[in-house]
Amino acid sequence: MSTITAPRGLAGVVVTDTGIGDVRGREGFYHYRQYSAIDLAQARTFEDVWYLMVHGELPGTAERTGFTARTAAMRRLPAEVRDALPLIARAGSGPLAGLRTALSLLGASAGFRPVYDIDAGRRTADALTVCAAVPTLLTALHRIGRGLDPVEPRDDLPYAANYLYMLTGSEPDPVRARAVEQYLISTVDHGFNASTFTARVIASTGADMAACLVGAVGALSGPLHGGAPSRALDTLDAIGSPDRIDAWVREKVTAGERIMGFGHAVYRTEDPRSRMLRGIAQQFGGPLVDFAVQVEERVEAILAELKPGRELHTNVEFYAGVVMELCGLPREMFTPTFCAARVVGWSANILEQAADSKIIRPAARYVGPPPPQPVPAAVRS
Protein backbone atom coordinates (compact mmCIF):
# COMPACT_ATOMS: atom_id res chain seq x y z
CA MET A 1 0.00 0.00 0.00
CA SER A 2 1.40 3.40 -0.98
CA THR A 3 1.41 6.05 1.72
CA ILE A 4 1.62 9.84 1.74
CA THR A 5 3.68 11.49 4.44
CA ALA A 6 1.69 14.32 6.02
CA PRO A 7 3.14 17.26 7.96
CA ARG A 8 3.22 17.15 11.74
CA GLY A 9 -0.20 17.86 13.21
CA LEU A 10 -1.76 17.44 9.73
CA ALA A 11 -1.22 21.17 9.22
CA GLY A 12 -2.71 22.26 5.91
CA VAL A 13 -3.81 18.75 4.91
CA VAL A 14 -7.23 18.66 3.24
CA VAL A 15 -9.07 15.58 4.48
CA THR A 16 -12.56 16.02 3.06
CA ASP A 17 -15.03 18.35 1.33
CA THR A 18 -17.44 20.40 3.43
CA GLY A 19 -20.30 22.77 2.87
CA ILE A 20 -20.36 24.01 6.45
CA GLY A 21 -17.68 26.69 6.45
CA ASP A 22 -14.00 27.53 6.17
CA VAL A 23 -11.22 29.64 7.65
CA ARG A 24 -9.03 31.73 5.37
CA GLY A 25 -6.20 32.49 7.75
CA ARG A 26 -4.08 34.71 5.51
CA GLU A 27 -7.08 36.95 4.88
CA GLY A 28 -8.34 37.03 8.47
CA PHE A 29 -11.74 35.73 7.38
CA TYR A 30 -13.99 32.81 8.18
CA HIS A 31 -17.54 31.90 7.24
CA TYR A 32 -20.52 29.69 8.02
CA ARG A 33 -21.99 28.32 4.82
CA GLN A 34 -21.98 31.29 2.42
CA TYR A 35 -22.00 34.06 5.05
CA SER A 36 -19.25 35.85 6.97
CA ALA A 37 -19.39 34.57 10.55
CA ILE A 38 -18.72 38.06 11.88
CA ASP A 39 -21.50 39.56 9.75
CA LEU A 40 -23.85 36.92 11.14
CA ALA A 41 -22.78 37.72 14.71
CA GLN A 42 -23.47 41.40 14.14
CA ALA A 43 -26.79 41.03 12.33
CA ARG A 44 -28.49 37.77 13.37
CA THR A 45 -29.61 35.78 16.40
CA PHE A 46 -28.04 32.58 17.65
CA GLU A 47 -31.15 30.63 16.63
CA ASP A 48 -30.84 31.97 13.06
CA VAL A 49 -27.25 30.77 12.84
CA TRP A 50 -28.12 27.41 14.41
CA TYR A 51 -30.83 26.96 11.75
CA LEU A 52 -28.31 27.90 9.06
CA MET A 53 -25.81 25.32 10.28
CA VAL A 54 -28.41 22.55 10.32
CA HIS A 55 -30.46 23.39 7.23
CA GLY A 56 -27.98 25.24 5.01
CA GLU A 57 -29.97 28.45 4.73
CA LEU A 58 -31.11 31.27 6.98
CA PRO A 59 -34.69 30.99 8.22
CA GLY A 60 -37.61 33.11 7.17
CA THR A 61 -40.03 34.42 9.75
CA ALA A 62 -42.13 31.24 9.91
CA GLU A 63 -39.07 28.99 9.98
CA ARG A 64 -37.47 31.06 12.76
CA THR A 65 -40.61 30.93 14.89
CA GLY A 66 -41.02 27.19 14.47
CA PHE A 67 -37.34 26.38 15.01
CA THR A 68 -37.07 28.60 18.09
CA ALA A 69 -40.15 27.02 19.67
CA ARG A 70 -39.03 23.49 18.81
CA THR A 71 -35.53 23.84 20.26
CA ALA A 72 -36.69 25.77 23.35
CA ALA A 73 -39.00 22.87 24.20
CA MET A 74 -35.98 20.53 24.18
CA ARG A 75 -34.11 22.37 26.95
CA ARG A 76 -35.56 20.37 29.83
CA LEU A 77 -33.70 17.24 30.87
CA PRO A 78 -35.12 13.73 31.28
CA ALA A 79 -35.67 12.86 34.95
CA GLU A 80 -32.99 10.16 34.99
CA VAL A 81 -30.41 12.61 33.69
CA ARG A 82 -31.44 15.43 36.03
CA ASP A 83 -31.37 13.11 39.03
CA ALA A 84 -27.83 11.94 38.23
CA LEU A 85 -26.31 15.43 38.01
CA PRO A 86 -25.58 15.84 41.75
CA LEU A 87 -23.50 12.65 41.71
CA ILE A 88 -21.63 13.82 38.60
CA ALA A 89 -21.05 17.27 40.08
CA ARG A 90 -19.78 15.82 43.35
CA ALA A 91 -16.92 14.18 41.47
CA GLY A 92 -15.46 17.69 41.51
CA SER A 93 -14.03 17.68 38.01
CA GLY A 94 -15.94 20.74 36.80
CA PRO A 95 -18.83 21.30 34.37
CA LEU A 96 -16.91 20.50 31.17
CA ALA A 97 -15.62 17.16 32.44
CA GLY A 98 -19.02 16.41 33.93
CA LEU A 99 -20.62 17.13 30.58
CA ARG A 100 -18.91 14.09 29.07
CA THR A 101 -20.66 11.78 31.51
CA ALA A 102 -23.94 13.67 31.28
CA LEU A 103 -23.97 13.50 27.48
CA SER A 104 -23.47 9.74 27.57
CA LEU A 105 -26.38 9.42 29.97
CA LEU A 106 -28.54 11.75 27.88
CA GLY A 107 -27.85 9.71 24.75
CA ALA A 108 -28.77 6.48 26.52
CA SER A 109 -31.90 8.02 28.06
CA ALA A 110 -33.05 9.42 24.71
CA GLY A 111 -32.41 6.12 22.96
CA PHE A 112 -29.86 7.49 20.53
CA ARG A 113 -28.91 4.91 17.91
CA PRO A 114 -25.79 4.82 15.73
CA VAL A 115 -25.96 7.49 13.03
CA TYR A 116 -25.14 4.69 10.56
CA ASP A 117 -28.46 3.00 11.36
CA ILE A 118 -30.85 5.94 11.24
CA ASP A 119 -32.10 8.33 8.56
CA ALA A 120 -31.20 12.00 8.14
CA GLY A 121 -34.35 13.20 9.92
CA ARG A 122 -33.62 11.15 13.02
CA ARG A 123 -29.99 12.30 13.05
CA THR A 124 -31.11 15.93 12.92
CA ALA A 125 -33.58 15.40 15.75
CA ASP A 126 -30.84 13.84 17.88
CA ALA A 127 -28.52 16.74 17.11
CA LEU A 128 -31.12 19.33 18.12
CA THR A 129 -31.89 17.41 21.32
CA VAL A 130 -28.27 17.48 22.42
CA CYS A 131 -27.58 21.08 21.43
CA ALA A 132 -30.64 22.30 23.30
CA ALA A 133 -29.70 20.32 26.42
CA VAL A 134 -26.01 21.27 26.66
CA PRO A 135 -26.57 24.74 28.23
CA THR A 136 -28.95 23.16 30.76
CA LEU A 137 -26.40 20.49 31.65
CA LEU A 138 -23.49 22.91 31.96
CA THR A 139 -25.26 25.46 34.11
CA ALA A 140 -26.82 22.78 36.34
CA LEU A 141 -23.45 21.11 36.92
CA HIS A 142 -21.89 24.48 37.75
CA ARG A 143 -24.59 25.46 40.24
CA ILE A 144 -24.74 22.06 41.93
CA GLY A 145 -20.96 22.12 42.27
CA ARG A 146 -21.32 25.40 44.18
CA GLY A 147 -24.06 24.12 46.48
CA LEU A 148 -26.87 25.83 44.56
CA ASP A 149 -30.03 24.39 43.06
CA PRO A 150 -30.18 24.20 39.25
CA VAL A 151 -32.38 26.75 37.52
CA GLU A 152 -34.97 25.31 35.17
CA PRO A 153 -34.80 26.66 31.59
CA ARG A 154 -37.38 29.07 30.25
CA ASP A 155 -39.00 28.57 26.87
CA ASP A 156 -39.65 32.29 26.40
CA LEU A 157 -35.98 33.38 26.46
CA PRO A 158 -33.59 33.17 23.52
CA TYR A 159 -30.68 30.71 23.68
CA ALA A 160 -28.07 33.12 25.07
CA ALA A 161 -30.40 34.89 27.51
CA ASN A 162 -31.69 31.55 28.78
CA TYR A 163 -28.12 30.35 29.30
CA LEU A 164 -27.32 33.37 31.46
CA TYR A 165 -30.62 33.00 33.30
CA MET A 166 -29.89 29.35 34.16
CA LEU A 167 -26.39 30.30 35.23
CA THR A 168 -27.31 33.18 37.55
CA GLY A 169 -30.97 32.68 38.40
CA SER A 170 -31.80 36.19 37.20
CA GLU A 171 -33.04 37.39 33.84
CA PRO A 172 -30.02 39.05 32.21
CA ASP A 173 -29.60 42.63 31.12
CA PRO A 174 -30.40 42.71 27.37
CA VAL A 175 -27.09 44.41 26.51
CA ARG A 176 -25.06 41.72 28.25
CA ALA A 177 -27.24 38.96 26.82
CA ARG A 178 -26.63 40.32 23.33
CA ALA A 179 -22.86 40.55 23.95
CA VAL A 180 -22.78 36.90 25.02
CA GLU A 181 -24.97 35.96 22.05
CA GLN A 182 -22.51 37.61 19.66
CA TYR A 183 -19.65 35.73 21.29
CA LEU A 184 -21.56 32.45 20.99
CA ILE A 185 -22.32 33.06 17.31
CA SER A 186 -18.67 33.87 16.59
CA THR A 187 -17.52 30.54 18.06
CA VAL A 188 -20.08 28.14 16.57
CA ASP A 189 -17.60 26.73 14.07
CA HIS A 190 -14.04 27.33 12.95
CA GLY A 191 -12.85 24.89 10.34
CA PHE A 192 -11.34 21.50 11.09
CA ASN A 193 -10.02 22.27 14.55
CA ALA A 194 -9.11 19.39 16.87
CA SER A 195 -12.55 18.93 18.44
CA THR A 196 -14.46 19.18 15.16
CA PHE A 197 -12.12 16.70 13.51
CA THR A 198 -12.51 14.37 16.50
CA ALA A 199 -16.29 14.52 16.20
CA ARG A 200 -16.09 13.68 12.51
CA VAL A 201 -13.69 10.78 13.03
CA ILE A 202 -16.10 9.25 15.53
CA ALA A 203 -19.08 9.95 13.27
CA SER A 204 -17.27 8.16 10.44
CA THR A 205 -17.44 4.97 12.49
CA GLY A 206 -21.24 5.27 12.57
CA ALA A 207 -21.39 5.88 16.35
CA ASP A 208 -24.36 7.66 17.93
CA MET A 209 -24.63 11.45 18.26
CA ALA A 210 -23.79 11.47 21.98
CA ALA A 211 -20.63 9.40 21.45
CA CYS A 212 -19.43 11.80 18.76
CA LEU A 213 -20.00 14.81 21.00
CA VAL A 214 -18.38 13.24 24.05
CA GLY A 215 -15.19 12.85 22.00
CA ALA A 216 -15.41 16.46 20.82
CA VAL A 217 -15.81 17.73 24.39
CA GLY A 218 -12.79 15.69 25.42
CA ALA A 219 -10.70 17.33 22.70
CA LEU A 220 -11.99 20.80 23.63
CA SER A 221 -11.00 20.33 27.26
CA GLY A 222 -7.29 20.47 26.40
CA PRO A 223 -5.67 23.80 27.29
CA LEU A 224 -4.20 24.15 23.79
CA HIS A 225 -7.71 24.16 22.31
CA GLY A 226 -10.64 25.60 24.26
CA GLY A 227 -9.09 26.08 27.65
CA ALA A 228 -7.50 29.49 27.15
CA PRO A 229 -10.16 32.25 27.73
CA SER A 230 -9.73 32.27 31.50
CA ARG A 231 -5.96 31.84 31.16
CA ALA A 232 -5.81 34.93 28.94
CA LEU A 233 -7.59 36.87 31.66
CA ASP A 234 -5.18 35.43 34.20
CA THR A 235 -2.43 37.07 32.13
CA LEU A 236 -3.97 40.48 32.77
CA ASP A 237 -4.13 39.67 36.47
CA ALA A 238 -0.49 38.56 36.52
CA ILE A 239 0.69 41.77 34.85
CA GLY A 240 -1.39 43.84 37.22
CA SER A 241 -0.69 47.39 36.05
CA PRO A 242 0.47 49.25 32.91
CA ASP A 243 3.94 49.95 34.28
CA ARG A 244 4.65 46.20 34.56
CA ILE A 245 3.61 45.22 31.01
CA ASP A 246 6.96 45.47 29.23
CA ALA A 247 9.07 43.75 31.87
CA TRP A 248 6.54 40.93 32.33
CA VAL A 249 6.17 40.27 28.60
CA ARG A 250 9.91 40.37 27.90
CA GLU A 251 10.59 37.94 30.71
CA LYS A 252 8.01 35.48 29.39
CA VAL A 253 9.11 35.72 25.77
CA THR A 254 12.83 35.38 26.48
CA ALA A 255 12.06 32.35 28.70
CA GLY A 256 10.28 30.75 25.73
CA GLU A 257 6.91 30.76 27.48
CA ARG A 258 3.65 31.20 25.63
CA ILE A 259 1.53 34.29 26.32
CA MET A 260 -2.03 33.04 26.47
CA GLY A 261 -4.44 34.88 24.19
CA PHE A 262 -1.83 35.62 21.50
CA GLY A 263 -1.05 33.74 18.32
CA HIS A 264 -3.17 31.29 16.34
CA ALA A 265 -2.50 28.12 14.38
CA VAL A 266 -4.30 29.42 11.28
CA TYR A 267 -4.46 33.22 11.28
CA ARG A 268 -1.51 35.23 10.00
CA THR A 269 -3.45 38.45 10.47
CA GLU A 270 -5.59 39.76 13.31
CA ASP A 271 -8.19 37.20 14.37
CA PRO A 272 -11.53 38.63 13.15
CA ARG A 273 -13.24 37.27 16.27
CA SER A 274 -10.83 39.21 18.46
CA ARG A 275 -11.51 42.39 16.47
CA MET A 276 -15.27 42.02 16.96
CA LEU A 277 -14.99 41.18 20.65
CA ARG A 278 -12.65 44.13 21.25
CA GLY A 279 -15.37 46.37 19.85
CA ILE A 280 -17.97 44.81 22.13
CA ALA A 281 -15.68 45.22 25.14
CA GLN A 282 -15.02 48.87 24.29
CA GLN A 283 -18.77 49.51 24.18
CA PHE A 284 -18.82 48.52 27.86
CA GLY A 285 -15.66 50.49 28.63
CA GLY A 286 -14.01 50.68 32.03
CA PRO A 287 -10.57 50.02 33.57
CA LEU A 288 -10.39 46.34 32.56
CA VAL A 289 -11.03 47.15 28.91
CA ASP A 290 -8.55 50.04 28.88
CA PHE A 291 -5.90 47.82 30.46
CA ALA A 292 -6.58 44.98 28.01
CA VAL A 293 -6.10 47.33 25.05
CA GLN A 294 -2.83 48.59 26.52
CA VAL A 295 -1.58 45.05 27.06
CA GLU A 296 -2.56 44.06 23.53
CA GLU A 297 -0.67 46.99 22.01
CA ARG A 298 2.51 46.41 24.04
CA VAL A 299 2.54 42.62 23.66
CA GLU A 300 2.20 42.87 19.89
CA ALA A 301 4.95 45.50 19.72
CA ILE A 302 7.33 43.45 21.88
CA LEU A 303 6.58 40.23 19.98
CA ALA A 304 7.28 42.04 16.72
CA GLU A 305 10.62 43.19 18.14
CA LEU A 306 11.70 39.88 19.68
CA LYS A 307 10.17 37.58 17.06
CA PRO A 308 10.53 39.52 13.79
CA GLY A 309 8.69 38.09 10.83
CA ARG A 310 6.11 36.33 13.02
CA GLU A 311 2.55 37.64 12.81
CA LEU A 312 1.40 37.25 16.42
CA HIS A 313 -1.83 38.98 17.32
CA THR A 314 -4.59 38.49 19.87
CA ASN A 315 -6.77 35.46 19.24
CA VAL A 316 -10.41 34.95 20.20
CA GLU A 317 -9.59 33.99 23.79
CA PHE A 318 -8.07 37.34 24.78
CA TYR A 319 -11.11 39.58 24.42
CA ALA A 320 -13.55 36.71 24.92
CA GLY A 321 -12.30 36.55 28.49
CA VAL A 322 -12.75 40.29 28.91
CA VAL A 323 -16.30 40.26 27.50
CA MET A 324 -17.39 37.29 29.60
CA GLU A 325 -15.92 38.88 32.72
CA LEU A 326 -17.84 42.09 32.00
CA CYS A 327 -21.02 40.08 31.50
CA GLY A 328 -20.68 38.42 34.90
CA LEU A 329 -19.70 34.89 33.90
CA PRO A 330 -17.43 33.11 36.39
CA ARG A 331 -14.06 32.17 34.92
CA GLU A 332 -14.57 28.46 35.39
CA MET A 333 -17.51 28.79 32.97
CA PHE A 334 -15.59 30.48 30.15
CA THR A 335 -14.65 27.27 28.32
CA PRO A 336 -18.03 25.61 29.03
CA THR A 337 -19.65 28.69 27.47
CA PHE A 338 -17.47 28.18 24.40
CA CYS A 339 -18.73 24.59 24.37
CA ALA A 340 -22.36 25.75 24.51
CA ALA A 341 -21.77 27.42 21.14
CA ARG A 342 -19.42 24.96 19.49
CA VAL A 343 -21.79 22.01 20.05
CA VAL A 344 -23.88 23.44 17.21
CA GLY A 345 -20.91 23.41 14.84
CA TRP A 346 -19.88 19.93 15.96
CA SER A 347 -23.39 18.64 15.34
CA ALA A 348 -23.50 20.13 11.84
CA ASN A 349 -20.20 18.43 11.05
CA ILE A 350 -21.43 15.12 12.47
CA LEU A 351 -24.54 15.31 10.29
CA GLU A 352 -22.42 16.03 7.23
CA GLN A 353 -19.98 13.22 8.02
CA ALA A 354 -22.80 10.75 8.71
CA ALA A 355 -23.99 11.22 5.14
CA ASP A 356 -20.68 9.66 4.01
CA SER A 357 -20.25 6.11 5.31
CA LYS A 358 -16.50 5.95 4.61
CA ILE A 359 -14.59 5.44 7.86
CA ILE A 360 -11.65 7.79 8.51
CA ARG A 361 -8.63 5.54 8.86
CA PRO A 362 -5.22 7.17 8.26
CA ALA A 363 -1.87 5.46 8.57
CA ALA A 364 1.13 6.06 10.85
CA ARG A 365 4.83 5.65 10.15
CA TYR A 366 6.43 3.13 12.51
CA VAL A 367 9.71 4.36 14.04
CA GLY A 368 10.29 1.80 16.81
CA PRO A 369 12.82 -1.08 16.92
CA PRO A 370 12.91 -3.04 13.65
CA PRO A 371 10.60 -6.08 13.66
CA PRO A 372 10.37 -9.01 13.76
CA GLN A 373 12.63 -9.70 16.71
CA PRO A 374 12.79 -13.09 18.44
CA VAL A 375 10.58 -13.18 21.50
CA PRO A 376 12.71 -13.78 24.63
CA ALA A 377 11.92 -16.83 26.69
CA ALA A 378 9.91 -16.14 29.82
CA VAL A 379 11.96 -15.73 32.96
CA ARG A 380 11.30 -18.60 35.34
CA SER A 381 10.90 -17.73 38.97
Side-chain angles (χ1 to χ4, degrees):
M1 180 181 71
S2 63
T3 59
I4 300 172
T5 300
R8 189 164 171 258
L10 299 181
V13 174
V14 174
V15 297
T16 193
D17 295 331
T18 182
I20 293 172
D22 192 22
V23 181
R24 303 209 297 251
R26 295 191 179 279
E27 300 173 38
F29 172 80
Y30 73 114
H31 58 101
Y32 305 154
R33 304 292 185 182
Q34 65 269 45
Y35 303 106
S36 158
I38 299 301
D39 288 352
L40 288 167
Q42 292 173 334
R44 290 288 192 148
T45 66
F46 187 88
E47 283 81 0
D48 283 353
V49 175
W50 187 0
Y51 186 97
L52 170 69
M53 297 301 282
V54 173
H55 296 291
E57 60 185 9
L58 287 168
T61 302
E63 289 88 357
R64 177 189 297 114
T65 301
F67 184 80
T68 299
R70 180 186 180 190
T71 54
M74 294 175 170
R75 292 170 178 168
R76 284 174 172 76
L77 304 175
E80 54 268 36
V81 177
R82 187 175 59 249
D83 293 346
L85 293 181
L87 181 61
I88 297 172
R90 280 200 298 272
S93 51
L96 197 64
L99 181 64
R100 301 199 296 265
T101 303
L103 283 175
S104 293
L105 184 57
L106 176 66
S109 172
F112 286 180
R113 296 169 56 206
V115 295
Y116 185 80
D117 295 333
I118 56 179
D119 62 24
R122 183 68 255 170
R123 292 172 197 154
T124 299
D126 289 353
L128 296 181
T129 297
V130 179
C131 291
V134 161
T136 309
L137 291 169
L138 288 170
T139 54
L141 288 167
H142 170 72
R143 289 181 66 86
I144 294 170
R146 289 182 162 257
L148 303 171
D149 291 331
V151 175
E152 285 296 306
R154 281 172 49 178
D155 294 354
D156 62 315
L157 291 176
Y159 189 92
N162 179 66
Y163 177 72
L164 291 173
Y165 169 72
M166 291 190 296
L167 187 64
T168 65
S170 301
E171 187 168 338
D173 167 65
V175 174
R176 285 174 169 75
R178 177 56 181 161
V180 171
E181 180 176 51
Q182 288 181 283
Y183 166 70
L184 293 174
I185 293 171
S186 73
T187 52
V188 160
D189 189 61
H190 203 247
F192 265 42
N193 53 79
S195 56
T196 298
F197 187 51
T198 299
R200 291 191 70 128
V201 169
I202 299 173
S204 80
T205 72
D208 67 70
M209 182 65 64
C212 300
L213 290 171
V214 168
V217 173
L220 180 69
S221 67
L224 296 184
H225 189 8
S230 60
R231 295 181 183 218
L233 207 56
D234 291 343
T235 294
L236 297 180
D237 289 344
I239 295 171
S241 60
D243 60 291
R244 296 188 66 241
I245 297 174
D246 285 29
W248 189 93
V249 173
R250 289 182 184 278
E251 180 182 346
K252 293 293 181 182
V253 174
T254 54
E257 296 182 32
R258 182 181 178 190
I259 300 177
M260 302 305 285
F262 288 81
H264 194 275
V266 177
Y267 289 116
R268 295 299 173 263
T269 64
E270 184 180 25
D271 187 330
R273 301 168 298 179
S274 178
R275 185 186 312 119
M276 184 194 76
L277 291 166
R278 184 200 302 119
I280 293 173
Q282 288 176 320
Q283 289 174 10
F284 285 104
L288 175 62
V289 178
D290 294 341
F291 184 47
V293 171
Q294 285 181 286
V295 170
E296 177 189 22
E297 291 174 351
R298 290 306 304 150
V299 170
E300 290 193 353
I302 294 169
L303 288 173
E305 173 194 338
L306 299 180
K307 294 181 178 290
R310 297 272 303 275
E311 290 289 340
L312 296 170
H313 303 279
T314 51
N315 54 42
V316 64
E317 285 89 3
F318 188 80
Y319 282 106
V322 173
V323 169
M324 285 190 276
E325 181 96 340
L326 293 171
C327 291
L329 278 77
R331 294 189 188 187
E332 61 269 23
M333 288 300 289
F334 285 5
T335 300
T337 302
F338 183 102
C339 180
R342 187 55 62 85
V343 67
V344 169
W346 290 333
S347 297
N349 274 276
I350 292 166
L351 293 175
E352 186 177 68
Q353 186 66 47
D356 178 2
S357 60
K358 180 67 174 177
I359 191 170
I360 297 174
R361 205 300 189 186
R365 183 174 59 249
Y366 177 74
V367 295
Q373 305 261 356
V375 179
V379 177
R380 297 182 182 276
S381 58

